[in-house]
Amino acid sequence: MVSDESVATEEVASRRRHPDEMTLIEHLRELRRRLIISLIAIGVGAIVAFSFYNYILAFLRHPYCEVRPGHCQLLALSITDGLSLRTKVAFYGGLFGASPVVFWQLWRFITPGLYPHEKRYAVPFLVTSVMLFTGGAAVAYLVFPRALEFLRAIGGPSLTYFYTAPNYLSFILLLMVVFGVAFEFPVVLVGLELAGVVKPAALAKRRRWAIFIIFALVAIFIPTGDPISMLAMAIPLVLFYEGAIIIGRALGK
């Protein structure tokens, strides 16, 4: 017969956690630590962006100057517009500059739940995430002049447009962030494939519905609402969807 002592020992061993497993409290502490590191990185990036404000402002104003060469001044209607504008540019600049750190902290927070062979994807995850976010922001920046032309023309020749600095910069910065976040779509899909949540075969089977949902969501959430920006976002997302299927099959998922 098995002794009571051996049974107790087996019960203790069965309850012993894997070294990478954490309790809820430990997860919350880890999340807080990762958030603090990310916020510090964003703060440092914001200080740098604050110092280079004039260069960043000229860069962001350039799409408007393409549409109206020599007549692309931005209006400030409030005494505090300059301060609020510089603060906003500093925040978005800090967020963009700190994106590698933020993505790395996100990965490190996810890592304890992964198997050792899955953790080797850390560097590809970081590099791909930063490249896709940057690429999305770049697409938004390049498309914005065409979108601006469309939005100016759709109202007819009777309208004269004067853009305030806060309104214009909030708009283009929001568009760049939305594109950057949307372009993380393939990273999410591949991550779900690695985790076994979805299979490439299931994604391929639901391809038509996925394309329909992508275009519908883009039409709803695109800030500009113009067809040029919609296509510039939706078409890459469809290609990313197909790419995630190919990568999932290559990884044997």
Side-chain angles (χ1 to χ4, degrees), residues 68-159:
R68 296 192 65 196
H71 301 280
C72 52
Q73 292 79 13
L74 299 174
L75 302 179
L77 302 179
S78 172
I79 295 175
T80 59
D81 275 353
L83 177 60
S84 62
L85 192 65
R86 190 160 190 159
T87 302
K88 184 176 295 184
V89 168
F91 170 75
Y92 278 101
L95 182 63
F96 180 80
S99 58
V101 177
V102 174
F103 285 125
W104 178 252
Q105 295 306 314
L106 175 62
W107 177 261
R108 292 298 298 149
F109 179 71
I110 298 173
T111 296
L114 300 178
Y115 293 104
H117 71 277
E118 294 174 331
K119 295 180 181 179
R120 69 176 186 268
Y121 298 114
V123 174
F125 169 84
L126 176 64
V127 173
T128 303
S129 297
V130 173
M131 289 179 61
L132 286 172
F133 185 85
T134 305
V139 170
Y141 182 83
L142 294 174
V143 167
F144 189 64
R146 308 290 82 79
L148 198 59
E149 287 180 347
F150 174 85
L151 294 173
R152 289 174 62 87
I154 197 69
S158 300
L159 299 180

Side-chain angles (χ1 to χ4, degrees), residues 17 20-34 109 112:
R17 294 185 291 121
D20 282 343
E21 292 180 356
M22 295 188 293
T23 65
L24 176 61
I25 300 299
E26 289 172 335
H27 270 295
L28 292 176
R29 289 175 180 170
E30 181 71 5
L31 177 61
R32 181 182 64 180
R33 189 166 77 91
R34 300 298 174 189
F109 179 71

Side-chain angles (χ1 to χ4, degrees), residues 189-203:
L189 279 184
V190 173
L192 292 175
E193 289 176 326
L194 289 174
V197 177
V198 296
K199 299 293 183 181
L203 293 177

